[in-house]
Amino acid sequence: MPELPEVEALAAFLRENAVGRVVARADLAAVQAIKTFDPPLSALAGLEVTGASRHGKFLDLDVSGLHLVVHLARAGWLHWRTGLPAAPPKPGKGPLALRVHLDDGNGFDLTEQGTRKGLSVYVVRSPAEVPGVDRLGPDALEVDRDTFARLMASRSGQVKGALTDQTLLAGIGNAYSDEILHVARLSPFKMADKLGDDEVVRLHDAVRAVLTDALQRQVGQRAATLKGEKRSGLQVHARTGLPCPVCGDTVREVSFADTSLQYCPTCQTGGKPLADRRMSKLLR
């Protein structure tokens, strides 16, 4: 799933390549992707792209005061295209959800792989009209240490869930929460409201370090290379069975119904593997 660094990098890419161009038209290929009807998608045609930004994991393209807001969900992505075909795409064919044509013949596709469709597109007059944006907590890269400590103290669940709760803290998903907890040397199942002062400091510092490093590596990249750049920087996420680059222990996994997490026992859980997957007694 694209998270804060990737979405910010996509916004930066669009600021460089799309801002100043005029939207020629927008072709909807997956009807289920569009979540709004007023203004219609066709209202973007003839308007200049004036900005691109991010709200948590939502991408926001400002089109002369109208906003094309996109949530890429788990398997969505933005592909920049040069020399787009003039013929509109056939609805329901392949992963294409939306194609945006610009006045210079270039543009971009929004695609989503797999059968579970979650990519969402909104055309609104203000990003605050998007329910997911309206519910966002403070941005993960902007929250100060004292506010961060209060947020963790207010959460009775596990710290992994606290980091990925967009209403508590915006921008962090499954991959970077694994990376942050590894850097902070914390079990993903430590209770957020039981963190000690030193643990809160380590966790806040890790949030800033991991996200800042990812941003520095990804902003300026072409949209096509961002996924590979993300994978190349991961220490534990999606590295089950491989050696931890910090201590050499084997990276372990805990699986759930539709997701999983990865961690290093030596770095994070006192050398003890988290046992028995969903039914395990969780390490504190």
Side-chain angles (χ1 to χ4, degrees):
M1 177 183 290
E3 302 177 37
L4 185 157
E6 294 79 54
V7 180
E8 182 61 40
L10 287 173
F13 180 86
L14 289 174
R15 287 194 292 270
E16 181 177 347
N17 291 276
V19 168
R21 309 307 316 186
V22 171
V23 175
R25 74 174 199 266
D27 296 331
L28 186 65
V31 175
Q32 73 274 11
I34 189 76
K35 306 301 181 184
T36 55
F37 61 90
D38 180 27
L41 186 63
S42 59
L44 300 175
L47 300 181
E48 181 183 347
V49 179
T50 51
S53 59
R54 172 188 63 80
H55 312 282
K57 293 186 285 185
F58 288 82
L59 182 64
D60 177 7
L61 195 67
D62 189 334
V63 187
S64 297
L66 293 182
H67 293 261
L68 179 67
V69 179
V70 178
H71 191 279
L72 293 166
R74 177 171 293 185
W77 197 245
L78 183 148
H79 303 268
W80 185 255
R81 307 297 192 195
T82 56
L84 281 170
K90 294 181 179 179
K93 299 294 184 181
L96 181 64
L98 179 70
R99 173 168 289 164
V100 176
H101 296 254
L102 301 177
D103 60 347
D104 60 354
N106 300 328
F108 59 87
D109 289 345
L110 296 175
T111 66
E112 185 174 25
Q113 301 295 331
T115 57
R116 294 182 60 183
K117 301 300 184 182
L119 185 147
S120 300
V121 177
Y122 307 81
V123 180
V124 291
R125 296 175 179 86
S126 167
E129 296 175 37
V130 177
V133 172
D134 185 54
R135 294 193 299 265
L136 289 176
D139 193 81
L141 263 180
E142 296 178 1
V143 65
D144 61 59
R145 185 176 291 170
D146 290 342
T147 302
F148 183 82
R150 288 195 296 272
L151 291 172
M152 292 299 110
S154 72
R155 174 71 182 238
S156 60
Q158 298 156 359
V159 67
K160 166 83 174 179
L163 290 174
T164 57
D165 181 351
Q166 300 304 296
T167 66
L168 193 73
L169 198 65
I172 301 171
N174 193 35
Y176 287 114
S177 60
D178 284 351
E179 297 299 298
I180 288 163
L181 289 165
H182 180 245
V183 171
R185 308 188 306 281
L186 289 172
S187 166
F189 297 124
K190 180 85 177 182
M191 303 307 286
D193 60 349
K194 304 299 183 185
L195 293 171
D197 292 343
D198 178 64
E199 291 173 323
V200 170
V201 170
R202 294 203 319 259
L203 187 60
H204 180 259
D205 289 348
V207 167
R208 297 194 65 82
V210 169
L211 297 181
T212 299
D213 175 70
L215 275 172
Q216 290 174 344
R217 287 186 290 104
Q218 294 187 46
V219 171
Q221 295 272 341
R222 294 179 295 112
T225 63
L226 286 173
K227 287 185 179 180
E229 187 63 38
K230 177 180 182 176
R231 286 192 295 268
S232 71
L234 298 176
Q235 303 272 299
V236 291
H237 183 77
R239 289 176 53 86
T240 303
L242 298 175
C244 168
V246 174
C247 72
D249 195 359
T250 301
V251 173
R252 306 294 184 98
E253 177 176 304
V254 176
S255 295
F256 302 95
D258 60 354
T259 188
S260 63
L261 65 84
Q262 288 79 42
Y263 69 100
C264 169
T266 294
C267 292
Q268 296 175 252
T269 61
K272 301 175 184 178
L274 296 173
D276 198 22
R277 297 180 181 265
R278 273 179 285 177
M279 301 306 294
S280 66
K281 288 182 67 177
L282 306 178
L283 294 181
R284 300 295 193 265

